[in-house]
Every structure is written in C-alpha cells, then in structure tokens.
Amino acid sequence: MSITQVSATKAFGGWHKQFSHQSDATSCEMRFAIFLPPQAQHQSVPVLYWLSGLTCTDENFMQKAAAFKVAAQLGIAIVAPDTSPRGDNVPDDDNHAYDFGLGAGFYLNATQPPFNQHYRMYDYVVNELPSVIEANFGVNQQRAISGHSMGGHGALSIAFKNLDKYSSVSAFSPICQPTTCPWGQKAFSGYLGQDKQSWLQYDSSALITQLTDSNKHIPALVDQGSDDNFLAEQLNPQALVAAAKTVNYPLELRIQPGYDHSYFFISSFIEDHLHFHAANFKA
C-alpha cells in the first residue's frame, strides 16, 4: 500500500512523522503519525498503538503526552491513527456534534447506513494499520495498545477481542461500559442500530467476562483521575473491575487523586505506561 509523508521532525534521536494513505477499511484517505525511536535505524522495534479520544486527531497525543523521551530510551515505536474517517464524502452528525460522526468513530465497524461505508475503525486499527506499519517501517510484530477516553474504550475492547495480537493493554480514563453511558448509547445507536445485543461486542466490561482462559490473558493497566468531570456519568471504571474479578483477569485500576480528564493527566503517568508495555514485550 502506498503511503505519502506529510511531515517529519526529529525528536530525542528518533523521528516523528505523519503519513496519509488511501484506506481500504474506511474507503477514504486516512492519516497516522509514528514516532520511530533511534533504535529503529539499526534494528526492528516493538510498537505501541495509541488511540485518542473524542474530537482528537493523530496529533493530540504526539504533541501533548510527552512520551517521546521515554519511548526513545526504551526503543518503542508509537503509532497514533486518526480517531475517525474524514473527508468531503464521509457522513457527519447532522448538527456536527462532538460526540458522534467526524472525530468520534468509537473504534467499531458501523452497520447502519450511511455510516457503514466509512466508519470501520475497528478493521482499520486491528488489521489494516498494523499491516501498513510493519510493511513500511523498522518495526517487528510485537504490539501493545493504549488509549484515552473514547480511545481507552477502543484499546480495551480491541485488546479483549484480540488477545493474540497484543502483549499488553493500558488506558487512561476509558469509557469502560459504553452500553450504559450517554456517549456510548448515542454512538452505538447511530453506528450499530437499536439491537442492544450487538452493542456488547464493543463493551469492554461485557467482553472481559468472556475471557475465561487464563492462559490467554494479557496484562491490563487503567489509570483514572479522581477529579475527572466525566467519571460518574460516562466512564464507570468500577464496572470493568467488577467484571474482571468474575474471571480473575489481571487488570489493575489506579485511581489518581486530584487528576482530571486532560493531557496533563496523561503526561503525568505516560512514563509508567511505557515501562509497563516495555516489560511485557518479549526480549
């Protein structure tokens, strides 16, 4: 697949680059960013896939998370895709709402028209994007996945459905039970229709209860700020913890006192997450 470089900036001995390409999964042009640590110049390196939240693009994490220094030290590449398909022919919310349509793809495969033609971010993240990355850059097939808010939902639900593809998963302030919160109910109704049984395939708290084979479990780390203004209505990490306990899943939830939903929170603990993933990559 042909990719086109949009920008390149050196950082901590490595490179942050943006690329665009025509996506088969989303039937539109997609953009992603990649940080290649200096080690990628002479050896293959593992990859952390980062999924951002509502209203974000590939740029938010790369510019605000302060992840490059530690990623360079650990020899980890970071890939950040856009959060949804975009373009003149890609349908949006009629009122251009922030929580549905462009910038709010929810990392699922839509089944409802007109969104089912382009909103296939699950296929893009799980299958197409890794193929593009592994074919074009100095990386190996070791993958971890992480994300924030809507992207935390994406990271957890994708990992729980694909334990064989990732060595670990982490999330900041994830939407842990989207079938029961306003963000998730709006998105799932629009993308998946009114059959609520179909929603469960993208609900991390439901998915984790199906993971009964402990030999296939991968470590999971979740950080949540205690002063997050979305905590009570939208995020519900306690539901995920309760679900994990039913199958003895190795999930750690850390409530961080005083922190909110912002990138100040993410940048405060991203080093912990990078070390967590590094420890679970094969030597």
Side-chain angles (χ1 to χ4, degrees), residues 61-119:
F61 177 85
M62 295 304 208
Q63 296 179 10
K64 296 181 178 181
F68 293 167
K69 182 177 181 179
V70 175
Q73 293 170 348
L74 296 172
I76 297 174
I78 302 174
V79 171
D82 203 347
T83 52
S84 75
R86 299 182 196 268
D88 293 340
N89 296 320
V90 176
D92 193 10
D93 181 81
D94 290 340
N95 298 311
H96 303 290
Y98 79 96
D99 56 355
F100 187 81
L102 301 185
F106 271 82
Y107 304 101
L108 49 71
N109 287 339
T111 59
Q112 301 302 298
F115 304 103
N116 55 338
Q117 180 180 356
H118 298 286
Y119 285 77

Side-chain angles (χ1 to χ4, degrees), residues 3-243:
I3 61 175
T4 301
Q5 183 169 299
V6 176
S7 68
T9 306
K10 195 168 186 179
F12 297 100
W15 287 91
H16 168 266
K17 298 182 179 183
Q18 287 177 305
F19 291 87
S20 64
H21 69 104
Q22 187 65 31
S23 167
D24 292 332
T26 63
S27 299
C28 68
E29 185 175 82
M30 293 294 294
R31 191 176 73 184
F32 66 86
I34 183 169
F35 173 71
L36 291 165
Q39 294 89 334
Q41 299 175 27
H42 52 80
Q43 67 184 62
S44 63
V45 297
V47 183
L48 172 64
Y49 288 88
W50 172 269
L51 307 182
S52 291
L54 289 168
T55 76
C56 292
T57 68
D58 62 289
E59 294 183 337
N60 296 74
F61 177 85
M62 295 304 208
Q63 296 179 10
K64 296 181 178 181
F68 293 167
K69 182 177 181 179
V70 175
Q73 293 170 348
L74 296 172
I76 297 174
I78 302 174
V79 171
D82 203 347
T83 52
S84 75
R86 299 182 196 268
D88 293 340
N89 296 320
V90 176
D92 193 10
D93 181 81
D94 290 340
N95 298 311
H96 303 290
Y98 79 96
D99 56 355
F100 187 81
L102 301 185
F106 271 82
Y107 304 101
L108 49 71
N109 287 339
T111 59
Q112 301 302 298
F115 304 103
N116 55 338
Q117 180 180 356
H118 298 286
Y119 285 77
R120 303 187 65 81
M121 290 298 294
Y122 176 87
D123 280 352
Y124 180 72
V125 171
V126 174
N127 298 311
E128 186 174 24
L129 183 59
S131 295
V132 170
I133 298 302
E134 290 165 13
N136 288 278
F137 302 99
V139 305
N140 55 45
Q141 294 184 338
Q142 294 193 80
R143 308 170 189 164
I145 192 166
S146 185
H148 171 235
S149 194
M150 177 186 73
H153 140 75
L156 292 170
S157 59
I158 284 172
F160 294 157
K161 288 163 70 76
N162 299 276
L163 295 178
D164 59 326
K165 294 183 182 294
Y166 304 98
S167 57
S168 53
V169 57
S170 72
F172 291 84
S173 315
I175 305 171
C176 294
Q177 197 173 46
T179 56
T180 64
C181 75
W183 278 341
Q185 290 172 339
K186 179 178 181 178
F188 288 3
S189 295
Y191 294 135
L192 302 174
Q194 296 305 311
D195 179 7
K196 295 185 178 181
Q197 192 66 30
S198 71
W199 298 5
L200 295 175
Q201 64 183 307
Y202 299 108
D203 185 310
S204 297
S205 294
L207 289 168
I208 201 170
T209 63
Q210 302 172 22
L211 305 180
T212 56
D213 187 348
S214 61
N215 292 322
K216 295 181 179 180
H217 289 170
I218 62 172
L221 172 65
V222 174
D223 270 325
Q224 173 63 60
S226 67
D227 288 13
D228 189 322
N229 58 318
F230 299 114
L231 177 56
E233 184 179 30
Q234 303 283 10
L235 305 181
N236 198 7
Q238 299 305 329
L240 181 66
V241 171

